[in-house]
Amino acid sequence: FLAYLLTHVVWTSNLALYTDRRWGFDARDIGWMLAYVGLVTIIFRGVLISKMIDKWGEKRLQTWGVLATMLGLVGFLGNGSLWELGITLSLFAFGSGVIRPLMMGNISRGVSGKEQGAIIGLTNSLGSLAQIVGPLIGGYLLTYLFPQSVIWMSLGIRGVGAWLILSKNR
C-alpha cells in the first residue's frame, strides 16, 4: 500500500511541473487532464468496480489495475500526441480507480474486527507519510535531474508494489 501511495503522490504532485517542462502545458491544459482523470476514476470507483469484481474477481482486477497504472506511466515517456496522452491518462485513471478500494478492502479483511480501526489508522498514517515524502522526492528529481526521472522513480516504486501484490496473489 505504501508503494502504491508513494508512487501516486510522487507522480500526481509533480504532474503539472512535468507536463509544463516536457510539453509546455499551461494551467488550462493541466486542469482538463486532471478533470478527465478524476471523471474516469469516479466512473470506475462509483459505477463499474462492483460489476468488474463480480465478473473477474478482486485479485485479477487488482493485478490489472497495477499493470494499467504502470503502462500509463510508461505512456508519459512518449511524445505526447493527443491520442497517446488520452490512452495514457485512461490507463492511469482506470488503474488508480480500482487499486485503492481493492487494497483497502484487502487490508481491512486481513485483520479481526477488533483490529480494523488500528489497521485503517496505520494505513492512513502511511498515506500521510507518502504525502510528505512524495512531493519532496518528485521535486528533487525535477529540479536536479531530467523530467522523466519522476516517471522512472515512480515506475521503480510501483514495480516493487506490483511484485508484492503479484507474489501475494499467487
Side-chain angles (χ1 to χ4, degrees):
F1 187 72
L2 179 60
Y4 162 75
L5 285 177
L6 188 57
T7 300
H8 195 78
V9 173
V10 165
W11 174 238
T12 57
S13 67
N14 289 281
L15 175 66
L17 294 171
Y18 175 82
T19 56
D20 175 49
R21 289 190 180 158
R22 184 84 196 277
W23 298 299
F25 282 18
D26 61 16
R28 187 191 71 215
D29 299 328
I30 295 163
W32 281 111
M33 276 183 17
L34 293 175
Y36 175 74
V37 169
L39 177 65
V40 172
T41 301
I42 287 170
I43 291 169
F44 278 105
R45 278 191 190 161
V47 178
L48 299 176
I49 195 166
S50 62
K51 294 172 182 146
M52 292 186 306
I53 290 170
D54 291 342
K55 186 165 183 155
W56 295 297
E58 285 190 28
K59 287 182 181 181
R60 184 177 293 164
L61 193 56
Q62 189 174 29
T63 300
W64 291 350
V66 170
L67 295 175
T69 56
M70 291 180 77
L71 287 172
L73 287 168
V74 169
F76 276 103
L77 295 171
N79 66 14
S81 72
L82 188 57
W83 284 104
E84 186 177 302
L85 193 55
I87 292 168
T88 295
L89 290 171
S90 297
L91 285 167
F92 190 80
F94 160 73
S96 296
V98 298
I99 292 173
R100 189 174 183 135
L102 293 174
M103 290 180 87
M104 291 301 292
N106 286 338
I107 290 168
S108 68
R109 285 190 305 271
V111 297
S112 72
K114 291 180 181 179
E115 298 171 314
Q116 283 186 350
I119 198 69
I120 296 301
L122 177 63
T123 302
N124 286 331
S125 295
L126 290 174
S128 297
L129 178 64
Q131 289 175 337
I132 293 168
V133 175
L136 295 172
I137 292 171
Y140 178 85
L141 294 171
L142 280 172
T143 301
Y144 296 106
L145 297 176
F146 53 99
Q148 293 88 341
S149 63
V150 174
I151 296 173
W152 289 114
M153 171 64 78
S154 296
L155 281 168
I157 297 168
R158 184 61 54 102
V160 169
W163 176 76
L164 291 169
I165 287 172
L166 293 174
S167 63
K168 180 184 178 281
N169 285 348
R170 276 191 217 146

